């Protein structure tokens, strides 16, 4: 039985995709660890929006509905937007945890499409420069680091609650410099700890 939705604390998480254009060295998936907390997030097929909606329950009962699994949810933009709209219609709050590469991969600014149905974005900045980013995230699409920074700059024009994150304890990552990049873009910053998922 696949885990389409799972709960951490008082939030419900949606496991929409197991694909990424990054291959982060710190990601459990990269090391074939397919469980987060007690949940096995392996997907054997790409779940439809309807399957997720059937599994979702009442979004208003949770602090947030969070798009975050073992892949990048914005690679399935159409489904993400359909589910997020339904969550909003049913009185829920939507957060998307993302690599910030949606505009690069979709080759257009998708923020206006997300604006109506996403309350918060949590963007993995991960590094204070491209060399450190490439070392830890191994992007498969050229220009990913700059595209992520551009996405962070644009995002506050469309969505009210934007947070950039970086992981404390990764070699070469300068948390203070990451925080500064976030500040320059008018977004919040949150430091995450290595090997703590959620
Ligand atoms: S973007 Fe997220 S899910 Fe994808 S490899 Fe990196 S940490 Fe893992």
């Amino acid at each position: 039985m696949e885990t389409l939705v799972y709960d951490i604390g008082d939030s419900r998480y949606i496991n929409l995709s197991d694909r990424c254009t990054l291959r982060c060295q710190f990601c459990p998936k990269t090391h074939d660890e397919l469980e987060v907390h007690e949940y096995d997030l392996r997907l054997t097929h790409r779940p439809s929006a309807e399957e997720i909606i059937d599994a979702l329950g009442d979004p208003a009962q949770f602090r947030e509905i969070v798009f975050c699994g073992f892949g990048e949810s914005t690679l399935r933009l159409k489904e993400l937007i359909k589910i997020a709209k339904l969550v909003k219609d049913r009185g829920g709050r939507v957060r998307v945890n993302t690599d910030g590469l949606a505009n690069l991969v979709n080759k257009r600014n998708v923020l206006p499409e997300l604006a109506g149905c996403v309350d918060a974005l949590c963007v993995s900045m991960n590094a204070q420069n491209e060399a450190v980013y490439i070392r830890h995230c191994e992007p498969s699409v050229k220009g990913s680091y700059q595209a992520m920074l551009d996405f962070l700059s644009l995002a506050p024009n469309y969505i009210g609650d934007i947070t950039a994150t970086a992981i404390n304890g990764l070699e070469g990552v300068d948390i203070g410099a990451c925080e500064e990049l976030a500040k320059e873009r008018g977004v919040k910053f949150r430091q995450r700890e290595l090997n703590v998922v959620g």
Side-chain angles (χ1 to χ4, degrees):
M1 184 72 178
E2 285 172 294
T3 307
L4 300 184
V5 302
Y6 58 105
D7 298 340
I8 300 177
D10 45 11
S11 295
R12 175 151 283 185
Y13 285 65
I14 296 179
N15 188 21
L16 183 60
S17 169
D18 60 359
R19 293 187 309 136
C20 299
T21 61
L22 301 179
R23 191 175 182 279
C24 302
Q25 285 310 302
F26 49 82
C27 180
K29 186 176 69 171
T30 304
H31 306 286
D32 283 333
E33 291 163 22
L34 297 161
E35 289 185 11
V36 165
H37 292 240
E38 70 272 32
Y39 301 106
D40 184 341
L41 297 183
R42 201 178 328 227
L43 289 173
T44 55
H45 76 300
R46 285 191 201 169
S48 66
E50 287 69 28
E51 281 175 90
I52 301 275
I53 288 165
D54 283 348
L56 193 59
D58 177 4
Q61 299 300 310
F62 297 91
R63 187 165 70 88
E64 285 182 314
I65 302 297
V66 185
F67 286 85
C68 176
F70 263 175
E72 174 54 39
S73 301
T74 62
L75 289 177
R76 305 202 58 211
L77 193 66
K78 205 165 57 125
E79 289 81 6
L80 183 157
I81 289 172
K82 188 168 183 181
I83 299 162
K85 278 188 173 152
L86 178 122
V87 170
K88 296 305 300 168
D89 286 348
R90 294 188 181 166
R93 175 182 159 84
V94 175
R95 169 157 63 102
V96 179
N97 288 1
T98 177
D99 58 16
L101 301 177
N103 287 357
L104 179 71
V105 170
N106 289 287
K107 298 188 176 71
R108 66 173 194 278
N109 180 15
V110 303
L111 284 159
E113 295 159 63
L114 297 176
C117 56
V118 173
D119 298 289
L121 283 176
C122 211
V123 179
S124 301
M125 176 190 283
N126 289 334
Q128 73 281 7
N129 63 43
E130 187 171 28
V132 174
Y133 185 83
I134 287 174
R135 178 168 155 205
H136 287 297
C137 301
E138 298 186 14
S140 60
V141 184
K142 214 168 153 235
S144 288
Y145 182 68
Q146 188 57 48
M148 174 277 296
L149 289 180
D150 292 347
F151 185 83
L152 268 176
S153 300
L154 262 184
N157 298 327
Y158 299 92
I159 294 170
D161 186 348
I162 312 289
T163 305
T165 66
I167 302 174
N168 189 33
L170 276 188
E171 212 181 317
V173 172
D174 180 339
I175 291 291
C178 292
E179 189 163 9
E180 196 52 40
L181 286 174
K183 206 189 285 173
E184 286 166 12
R185 286 163 179 76
V187 304
K188 292 185 281 186
F189 179 78
R190 185 163 68 88
Q191 167 183 327
R192 295 174 57 210
E193 299 303 323
L194 192 56
N195 300 326
V196 180
V197 185

